[in-house]
Amino acid sequence: MKTVFATGQLNGLPVLNGPIPTVGTVHGMKSRVGDFIHPGLWHTHDDLERIRLGVANRQDPWKTAFLNFSTDSFSQASYVMQGPKSIICRGSCSNYTTFTNDVRAAYQNAMMWYITRNQSHWDRSTTILDAWGTNLTSIIGTDTSLLVGLEGDMFANAAEIMRWEGGWVEQGAKASGGSGFSNQLYWLFARQSIIIGQANYGMVSIKALLAFSVYLDDVTMYNYAINSYQNDLCAGIYGNYDTQTGQGAETGRDQGHAVSGLGWTALAARIIQSQGTDVYSIGNNLLLTAAEYSAKYNLGHDVPYDPKFYRCEAILINGPWSAPSTISRGLGKTSATTQSPGVWDILYYQYVVKRGLNAPWTVKAKQVYDASGGEQHPTGNSQGDQPSWGDLLWSYPGKGQFTNHNDRTIWGGGTIGPNGTGNLNS
């Protein structure tokens, strides 16, 4: 088998994960590059406008959420970049927190720029993107997939906004082959996500591959990821959640992983929604059933448990298990120094508000979480796990389709070509 090497400033880096598998016909797959919608990761143009106008018109929940978001340290144009580094590692070695913090600042400043149109936020977000995009040469460690899939996904979301809405041109971009952000995103992030793991770990890779493939306009990668979401029986939605009860494959492990997986599954579905396909409803709204199950248990109630439904390779983490775990059980602040994952807003707004579905435990979970402080930016070593700020990012004004008007998409990134589309290399 021939070894393939990366290009640009990553020249010589071996690509160990081989070719991207091709898939058969699958719901929502792309047939050509021009099928991609931009911006189209967590937010489409219409999503961003809904946020901006909600804030501008002083409508809640956007108004109040923005007051908190805008004063957060990662939302400041004065944020002091902590990197870049040439090598980051997650696992037995750990030096990635500078990347985690800078990525969050890049994303939150991208959102601040879109909402306020303040140039200083544009400058802060894009300088972070360029600095890391031209200096990072290696991501290593046993938990590389988590680092790539969590922080990498948020990194791509910041870039998608700044490129397609802000007209950012990455440093090093040229017709003969770039050496900046996108080159790094492909070789260091996307190619290291091809081997998908199990359960919520695997869903992290799926959601990241969806984000990377859209940013890169990679049809094969996108189809591989969307097929994995629907059909991978270790990492996809049916590998993560029991179709009868919604029991999570990590329920017997601990509640931190069980609840985090709900958020990662919802974020993956959000990207697919941005690309014009609804998977929130597959399996008779299986993700909502799973949310109801975890919410009920973490609110202190008993739930049915099938010891025969557990994650693939559970033996790696002292499984399988005979009962739901009580480790990190609870919502909001579970101790003086820990907080449960902030996943309830995206589920609440998608299912209860937008679709008008009945979800009493999810509603109660959001209420309890909000009462403990709500979705602010996470702390500790989980800052890259969830985007948080759900009342600002995921809100809808009520029940409705909220389809994307793709002709409103703004072309970003370089000199605009004829008819307003495409870069013009000259």
Side-chain angles (χ1 to χ4, degrees):
M1 183 175 180
K2 183 178 179 181
T3 301
V4 180
F5 291 92
T7 60
Q9 85 270 34
L10 306 175
N11 186 36
L13 177 73
V15 180
L16 303 177
N17 288 335
I20 302 171
T22 56
V23 299
T25 302
V26 61
H27 177 58
M29 69 186 301
K30 304 290 187 185
S31 60
R32 58 195 292 267
V33 171
D35 289 344
F36 285 108
I37 296 166
H38 295 289
L41 304 189
W42 294 341
H43 316 290
T44 64
H45 178 68
D46 295 84
D47 294 330
L48 291 167
E49 279 294 277
R50 186 165 52 251
I51 296 168
R52 184 184 67 82
L53 292 173
V55 173
N57 295 331
R58 300 184 63 77
Q59 296 174 310
D60 272 327
W62 296 279
K63 182 188 80 169
T64 301
F66 181 70
L67 288 175
N68 293 326
F69 180 81
S70 64
T71 57
D72 185 66
S73 61
F74 292 102
S75 299
Q76 306 308 307
S78 58
Y79 170 86
V80 178
M81 185 163 45
Q82 299 177 19
K85 294 180 177 178
S86 60
I87 300 173
I88 54 176
C89 177
R90 177 167 176 165
S92 56
C93 53
S94 180
N95 72 337
Y96 65 93
T97 54
T98 55
F99 183 62
T100 300
N101 293 338
D102 286 352
V103 164
R104 180 165 287 277
Y107 171 70
Q108 292 191 194
N109 270 274
M111 293 300 300
M112 286 293 297
W113 169 78
Y114 191 90
I115 294 168
T116 68
R117 289 303 196 269
N118 186 312
Q119 181 66 28
S120 64
H121 292 295
W122 191 100
D123 293 341
R124 179 68 298 179
S125 182
T126 57
T127 53
I128 293 172
L129 292 170
D130 277 327
W132 280 97
T134 56
N135 286 279
L136 183 62
T137 60
S138 187
I139 304 174
I140 60 175
T142 54
D143 282 338
T144 293
S145 291
L146 284 178
L147 179 53
V148 165
L150 295 174
E151 282 81 355
D153 184 5
M154 188 177 289
F155 208 29
N157 270 274
E160 179 86 349
I161 295 168
M162 300 316 293
R163 182 188 180 205
W164 290 94
E165 299 286 0
W168 165 63
V169 181
E170 66 182 57
Q171 186 177 328
K174 54 187 177 181
S176 58
S179 59
F181 177 86
S182 60
N183 189 60
Q184 176 199 87
L185 191 72
Y186 179 73
W187 292 110
L188 281 186
F189 290 86
R191 297 296 302 194
Q192 294 205 77
S193 297
I194 301 304
I195 303 299
I196 293 173
Q198 322 83 17
N200 64 13
Y201 192 105
M203 186 59 77
V204 166
S205 292
I206 290 173
K207 79 174 182 69
L209 280 170
L210 288 164
F212 302 153
S213 61
V214 173
Y215 186 86
L216 295 164
D217 289 316
D218 192 318
V219 174
T220 302
M221 186 186 298
Y222 183 83
N223 290 343
Y224 170 62
I226 195 173
N227 178 70
S228 297
Y229 181 92
Q230 297 175 73
N231 297 312
D232 188 320
L233 296 180
C234 282
I237 189 166
Y238 294 110
N240 271 284
Y241 304 110
D242 184 273
T243 57
Q244 300 302 310
T245 65
Q247 174 186 321
E250 305 266 24
T251 298
R253 179 186 182 184
D254 64 65
Q255 296 313 303
H257 285 90
V259 173
S260 290
L262 293 170
W264 297 332
T265 308
L267 289 171
R270 178 78 180 199
I271 297 170
I272 298 170
Q273 174 182 278
S274 295
Q275 292 301 309
T277 300
D278 172 38
V279 293
Y280 281 109
S281 62
I282 66 172
N284 193 25
N285 299 307
L286 177 55
L287 178 56
L288 177 59
T289 304
E292 287 288 280
Y293 180 98
S294 282
K296 183 177 181 179
Y297 183 67
N298 281 280
L299 286 164
H301 299 272
D302 292 335
V303 290
Y305 184 80
D306 179 4
K308 290 291 187 180
F309 184 82
Y310 52 90
R311 56 167 282 167
C312 294
E313 300 178 13
I315 192 172
L316 298 176
I317 46 174
N318 198 36
W321 311 278
S322 61
S325 173
T326 58
I327 298 173
S328 62
R329 186 182 185 184
L331 296 174
K333 292 188 180 298
T334 53
S335 75
T337 57
T338 60
Q339 187 165 358
S340 63
V343 305
W344 303 107
D345 283 353
I346 189 171
L347 296 161
Y348 168 78
Y349 285 112
Q350 185 65 228
Y351 286 109
V352 179
V353 177
K354 181 184 177 186
R355 298 164 192 258
L357 298 178
N358 184 44
W361 295 110
T362 300
V363 171
K364 182 64 174 177
K366 174 173 167 52
Q367 291 171 343
V368 170
Y369 204 93
D370 287 350
S372 72
E375 291 190 8
Q376 312 293 329
H377 82 256
T379 58
N381 62 0
S382 63
Q383 289 199 48
D385 286 9
Q386 309 288 343
S388 297
W389 309 109
D391 284 327
L392 178 69
L393 301 180
W394 315 126
S395 296
Y396 291 96
K399 185 178 180 180
Q401 292 295 318
F402 302 101
T403 54
N404 296 313
H405 299 277
N406 300 327
D407 57 340
R408 297 181 190 172
T409 297
I410 300 171
W411 176 266
T415 303
I416 298 175
N419 303 316
T421 58
N423 280 333
L424 186 64
N425 283 326
S426 61

